[in-house]
Amino acid sequence: MKKELDIFFTALMFFTRIPCPKWISHDPDYLRQSSKYFPLVGILVGSIGALVFYGATFVFPREIAVLLSMVATIYVTGAFHEDGFADVCDGFGGGWTKEKILFIMKDSRLGTYGVLGVTSVLAMKFFTLNQLPIPYIPLALVSGHALSRFIATTLIYTHPYVRETDDSKARPAAKGMTFGMLALSGLFGILPLLLWGDPWVFLTLLPAYLSKVFLGIKFKKWIGGQTGDCAGAVQQLSEVIFYLSLLVLWKFIW
């Protein structure tokens, strides 16, 4: 039990700014196994965003409350996944060989493709969430952050890690996913959907996963697999697709 707690806190420490106990080690094997807890971290991050949204609605209009919830989740995660999405946009937008793409993605500077990509995905989140009924937005945030992180772990499971150097901080977490780890990740990722109390919400799983398939095909074609940035890009895109899918359900079914 203590080992699993260490692994969870390792995931929390690596993917958020939330303070963790000082006794947590930096064992690379714990980081490798921590991927199974990514959606659980997502539940926590989404819950923080939901609480900020709920509290802000007592003071501000809906639009500002949504924006504050987004800012809160970005701050808590240190824009970890947004940075990965931007790097993928730059790499695949400006590179034409595997080596060039990986080099651009490793560059800390942000290019035109990255700016346009991350701006577009954040704008899409903002406007889509604003179209949902206010009572559903907190649950949408929790579900979106959890499910999208599960979708990202499926990329780690199906695509090999392709960076050959050991200087990537995300390397241990971006490889070595077992089926058992994937199953536990799926449990945490899908769990918030049960809170909706409506089986129709599970339809959102298909488009969310198809977004991963779409990016996965591109990753396989151009670089032969995935990196930590690729997993971050999948998380961001599948989160947006989940919110859009909720909007479709609300318009045509609910």
Side-chain angles (χ1 to χ4, degrees), residues 109-121:
R109 292 170 296 183
L110 189 60
T112 302
Y113 293 108
V115 171
L116 292 174
V118 78
T119 300
S120 297
V121 79

Side-chain angles (χ1 to χ4, degrees), residues 54-128:
Y54 179 75
T57 55
F58 288 99
V59 183
F60 304 109
R62 171 220 293 258
E63 293 80 6
I64 296 179
V66 169
L67 187 58
L68 287 174
S69 72
M70 291 174 58
V71 170
T73 59
I74 291 172
Y75 176 78
V76 167
T77 60
F80 192 86
H81 303 296
E82 288 82 2
D83 179 66
F85 184 85
D87 287 341
V88 165
C89 290
D90 278 335
F92 285 82
W96 294 98
T97 65
K98 174 181 176 179
E99 292 73 21
K100 186 64 174 178
I101 291 172
L102 292 176
F103 175 78
I104 294 174
M105 288 169 62
K106 191 66 177 176
D107 193 336
S108 61
R109 292 170 296 183
L110 189 60
T112 302
Y113 293 108
V115 171
L116 292 174
V118 78
T119 300
S120 297
V121 79
L122 290 175
M124 189 66 72
K125 287 183 191 180
F126 174 76
F127 286 108
T128 305

